[in-house]
Amino acid sequence: MKARRSTTGLPRAGGDATPGRRNPLGASTGRRSRVRDWPPATSRGRAAPGLRPGRAGNRAETDELQQGVRYRRVFVALVGVIVALSAVVVLLGTVGLFRETRSRPLTAEEQDRYKREEIARRWQAWPTTGIFPEELKYLGLDRAQQYARRVGIAPEAKCRDAVDPAVGAILSEHGCVSMLRATYVDQTSTFVFTIGVAVLKDEEARVSAGGELTQDDRVGVLPVAFPGTVTERFGVQQRQRTGWVGAGPYLVFTTGGYADGRTRAAIAPEESLHSELWPAARSIGNQVAYFLADPPKVPPCTQGNVC
């Protein structure tokens, strides 16, 4: 009697697998499963790779976090200190700038410096016609007011080239910068005057130079004659007298003579003493010096008239 075939196609319990037949779940009949069993879970088992074991790992991570927090706090504190110091520096600079730039009354020293600087730059800031006006007042006989007329203005010259050698050496030693000259005639065109403005580097240099100048009235500024005018015969030999006066950083030299070409030697001493030539020459030179050194009006505040 033949054995009955299982209707399910699965091997019978306890029986041998039928040769040549496969298990419907995919595994061949008659073989053990290759799936490995998981090890039992225990608290003392080995930790997965890359993870710190147990409490020691947690503590290390906590320490690292706390250290990072401390570093961050130190960094933030340093940044705060730097920002605070920068703000203080900026504030102090702003306050200082405001104090320096805001309008305030000038001190006595600042007013004096303003006057000196203004006077010292006049020889360049003013036109030559401002230094040597077209007409200058002087007192004639019986103290009658008369006017000297400007004939011409000479080109700017070096100090040594516009004065006698003895005077030029002293001016150069004390830092003479330049020499400006102009020639005038009196109201009757009888007298000729040359005015020379020696520009020193400062008022102290002018005082020192003036202290060394000789009192010899035969030396000083060289005359300037203009051809085709009444001054064309006015030369070194025609100088009757010379002199100078100090004003600010300037030495103003004056010399005078006769328009007809008479020399100094041709004039009798008594005539020279009683002539109006030298009083007129000195008056003209003093006026030029006065204009150059006249104290300017000083503004009361650093930014003008409003403090």
Side-chain angles (χ1 to χ4, degrees):
M1 186 173 182
K2 294 184 181 178
R4 296 182 61 183
R5 183 177 296 178
S6 173
T7 59
T8 61
L10 296 175
R12 296 181 181 179
D16 295 334
T18 306
R21 299 185 66 88
R22 298 182 61 88
N23 192 315
L25 297 178
S28 301
T29 59
R31 295 183 180 180
R32 292 185 178 181
S33 174
R34 294 185 180 180
V35 179
R36 300 176 60 182
D37 295 332
W38 288 98
T42 90
S43 60
R44 295 183 180 181
R46 181 175 297 179
L51 297 178
R52 296 182 183 272
R55 297 179 179 177
N58 293 335
R59 186 178 297 109
E61 292 179 357
T62 302
D63 292 342
E64 288 183 0
L65 290 175
Q66 291 178 349
Q67 187 177 12
V69 170
R70 287 194 298 269
Y71 287 161
R72 183 176 181 277
R73 289 176 179 174
V74 172
F75 176 76
V76 172
L78 288 175
V79 172
V81 170
I82 294 173
V83 171
L85 290 176
S86 301
V88 171
V89 171
V90 172
L91 179 61
L92 293 176
T94 303
V95 172
L97 181 63
F98 175 75
R99 288 180 178 179
E100 288 296 326
T101 56
R102 70 183 177 88
S103 184
R104 58 174 176 78
L106 289 172
T107 64
E109 181 180 356
E110 289 172 334
Q111 291 179 1
D112 185 59
R113 184 170 68 249
Y114 178 92
K115 293 178 183 178
R116 292 198 309 268
E117 291 176 354
E118 173 64 23
I119 292 173
R121 60 171 168 257
R122 283 177 175 172
W123 74 279
Q124 289 179 309
W126 288 4
T128 53
T129 54
I131 299 173
F132 302 114
E134 184 176 357
E135 290 185 342
L136 289 171
K137 297 178 183 179
Y138 71 95
L139 296 178
L141 294 176
D142 299 327
R143 300 188 63 82
Q145 180 174 293
Q146 298 187 27
Y147 292 89
R149 177 176 53 85
R150 188 189 69 222
V151 177
I153 299 175
E156 183 179 343
K158 295 181 180 179
C159 297
R160 281 183 176 271
D161 298 338
V163 296
D164 292 294
V167 178
I170 296 174
L171 295 180
S172 298
E173 181 181 352
H174 291 277
C176 186
V177 178
S178 184
M179 176 71 78
L180 310 176
R181 290 179 297 172
T183 298
Y184 289 80
V185 294
D186 73 322
Q187 190 163 315
T188 63
S189 296
T190 302
F191 306 131
V192 182
F193 315 102
T194 291
I195 311 298
V197 177
V199 182
L200 280 297
K201 59 182 180 180
D202 52 39
E203 188 169 352
E204 290 74 15
R206 187 270 298 173
V207 173
S208 299
E212 296 183 20
L213 287 175
T214 176
Q215 298 300 317
D216 188 353
D217 65 359
R218 294 172 299 177
V219 296
V221 66
L222 299 180
V224 179
F226 292 90
T229 69
V230 295
T231 69
E232 63 182 354
R233 301 179 66 183
F234 185 44
V236 174
Q237 299 300 322
Q238 284 70 38
R239 292 183 299 181
Q240 299 297 317
R241 192 173 180 182
T242 64
W244 58 270
V245 62
Y250 309 107
L251 283 171
V252 180
F253 291 88
T254 306
T255 187
Y258 291 95
D260 60 9
R262 280 179 285 179
T263 64
R264 178 181 173 114
I267 304 298
E270 61 272 13
E271 183 179 348
S272 177
L273 290 175
H274 296 88
S275 172
E276 64 176 325
L277 182 151
W278 184 242
R282 185 170 57 184
S283 176
I284 293 171
N286 288 345
Q287 285 188 68
V288 172
Y290 173 80
F291 294 148
L292 283 171
D294 185 28
K297 184 179 179 180
V298 181
C301 307
T302 56
Q303 295 184 3
N305 296 324
V306 180
C307 296

